[in-house]
Amino acid sequence: MEDHKRALINQMAARIDLYDSGEISLPKLVEDLRGLFEAADPRELSIRDSFEETWTELDAESELRTEAWAPPGLADDAHLREILQRLRSWIEWCGLAF
């Protein structure tokens, strides 16, 4: 992976940190991660697929917290923490593997 692409992916960890500190909302995190991923435009199928799988779960968890159609109580804080940890692991994997 090219250095500028790796730098964009590494910025994802900083965005997760901002979410963890309460500086940005979950919907903003979801949007920012998608934007950084698209800007990085990784060509490797394994990178794309693994991001898409985890990001889709994050987006769904965000919707459970923000959409009017979502019944109260479906959002799962433990699941959200696990998704964020998988994203951090994905970022580390991208940095080491490429």
Side-chain angles (χ1 to χ4, degrees):
M1 179 180 289
E2 300 163 20
D3 287 342
H4 75 278
K5 290 183 179 192
R6 186 176 293 112
L8 288 167
I9 288 175
N10 285 333
Q11 286 181 34
M12 292 179 176
R15 301 308 292 174
I16 295 170
D17 290 342
L18 288 175
Y19 169 75
D20 285 343
S21 70
E23 293 181 55
I24 63 172
S25 67
L26 184 56
K28 177 68 173 151
L29 175 64
V30 170
E31 177 185 329
D32 288 356
L33 293 178
R34 169 57 65 192
L36 288 165
F37 179 77
E38 292 300 327
D41 193 27
R43 301 289 182 201
E44 296 84 359
L45 189 57
S46 62
I47 290 175
R48 294 193 75 78
D49 287 349
S50 58
F51 175 81
E52 291 295 344
E53 180 181 322
T54 307
W55 181 87
T56 299
E57 284 187 65
L58 182 65
D59 186 43
E61 193 65 39
S62 178
E63 287 181 349
L64 290 175
R65 296 162 192 278
T66 59
E67 296 296 326
W69 55 259
L74 284 183
D76 183 341
D77 290 342
H79 185 236
L80 176 59
R81 284 190 301 276
E82 189 262 327
I83 294 167
L84 293 174
Q85 182 53 49
R86 280 193 283 137
L87 281 167
R88 287 184 185 280
S89 295
W90 178 86
I91 292 164
E92 290 175 25
W93 173 72
C94 286
L96 295 175
F98 303 96

